Amino acid sequence: MTAIDMPLGDHITLKQLAHAIHNGFSPIVEVESMDGIYKVRFHHANGVSDLTSAEGHVSTFLGTGEIRDTLGQLGLTHGVLTFADQCGDEMIGVEGKAITPDEMLTYGTRISFR
């Protein structure tokens, strides 16, 4: 089974991810920062998948080091760090418009897993 043939939904477990990578899956990895808590998303030809536990709960991390170690062991080499709050600052009256997911990936910070 090639990576394109693999059914990928809106979530993927580490075990499924390892299997998919072994079969040629090469996603764009997004690490989203949410005020000190991080979650991982995989952007691929069939959509976007959140990294989840076997029970389907979104996996969260307290630091990027844990993400680096986990994804690096699977063979992923890099990703994009984005921030959930990239909009404006209502505290000082700066209006903002929410950026699109594509803009978040384009202007995010490149990070390494190795």
Side-chain angles (χ1 to χ4, degrees):
M1 175 184 298
T2 65
I4 294 180
D5 297 331
M6 302 179 107
L8 296 172
D10 60 356
H11 66 277
I12 188 169
T13 65
L14 276 175
K15 184 176 180 179
Q16 292 168 326
L17 178 62
H19 178 72
I21 290 170
H22 179 73
N23 287 288
F25 183 57
S26 182
I28 295 171
V29 181
E30 176 186 6
V31 176
E32 183 180 13
S33 173
M34 304 174 294
D35 290 332
I37 299 174
Y38 301 87
K39 74 176 185 177
V40 179
R41 285 193 193 109
F42 302 98
H43 297 260
H44 47 83
N46 299 321
V48 180
S49 303
D50 285 319
L51 183 62
T52 64
S53 66
E55 295 79 28
H57 302 290
V58 173
S59 298
T60 57
F61 302 87
L62 297 177
T64 56
E66 184 181 0
I67 296 169
R68 179 198 64 225
D69 294 344
T70 301
L71 299 183
Q73 289 176 0
L74 297 179
L76 293 171
T77 59
H78 62 281
V80 179
L81 177 63
T82 62
F83 298 88
D85 58 355
Q86 291 179 336
C87 186
D89 193 339
E90 68 280 355
M91 295 293 290
I92 60 171
V94 175
E95 290 188 32
K97 120 180 155 34
I99 63 176
T100 67
D102 286 337
E103 289 172 325
M104 287 177 74
L105 287 176
T106 300
Y107 302 116
T109 303
R110 307 302 183 244
I111 57 174
S112 174
F113 301 137
R114 290 192 177 180

